[in-house]
Amino acid sequence: LNSVILDPSPGQRLRRGDVCVRGWAMGAGGRPVTAVYLSVDGGNAWISPTMRAPEGRWAWTFWEAVVALEPGRHELVVRAADDSGVDQPPDLQASWNVRGYANNARQRVPITVA
C-alpha cells in the first residue's frame, strides 16, 4: 500500500489561494484503494480528495484536491487505505528495517505559500 504526492513538488513556493494537490495511490497485492486522505498541516487534520477509479487491479488510483492555503510553511501529507482496512504507517520509524524494504510510510511534502 502506497500513496504519492505528484504536485506540488517538495520545497515549491506557491501563491496564496487555491492550490491543486494531486497524486496516486496503489493497494498492496492488487487490493483496491478504498480511501485517500490529504493533510495540509502535517497530519493534524485530514480531507478526502476526489479519487478516479483505477483501470485494473494493479493500476494506480489517481486522486486530487483543491485546497485554500494561507501564507506560511505547510507540510502536505498523504495516506491511503485499502479494502483490507490497512492504512499507511505515519513515518519511517513505524516500518524501519536495516535495508529499507517495504517502506510505505506516509509521504510528506514541505511547501511555502507567499
Side-chain angles (χ1 to χ4, degrees):
L1 177 64
N2 214 332
S3 59
V4 171
I5 296 171
L6 297 173
D7 191 37
S9 302
Q12 190 169 346
R13 290 184 58 85
L14 304 168
R15 291 184 182 188
R16 170 188 190 163
D18 288 346
V19 173
C20 183
V21 181
R22 54 195 179 108
W24 59 262
M26 179 180 269
R31 289 191 298 271
V33 172
T34 56
V36 174
Y37 303 100
L38 174 69
S39 173
V40 298
D41 62 3
N44 293 311
W46 299 92
I47 62 168
S48 295
T50 301
M51 296 186 338
R52 197 169 34 159
E55 295 183 18
R57 269 183 74 183
W58 297 95
W60 294 339
T61 299
F62 291 99
W63 58 266
E64 72 175 45
V66 175
V67 293
L69 296 178
E70 294 296 323
R73 302 184 88 189
H74 298 271
E75 183 180 47
L76 307 177
V77 185
V78 66
R79 65 185 172 98
D82 66 21
D83 70 347
S84 70
V86 172
D87 194 344
Q88 288 180 257
D91 54 39
L92 290 172
Q93 295 297 350
S95 62
W96 186 89
N97 62 75
V98 152
R99 296 192 178 175
Y101 293 140
N103 170 20
N104 71 331
R106 299 171 188 175
Q107 185 189 22
R108 296 174 180 275
V109 174
I111 60 169
T112 303
V113 176

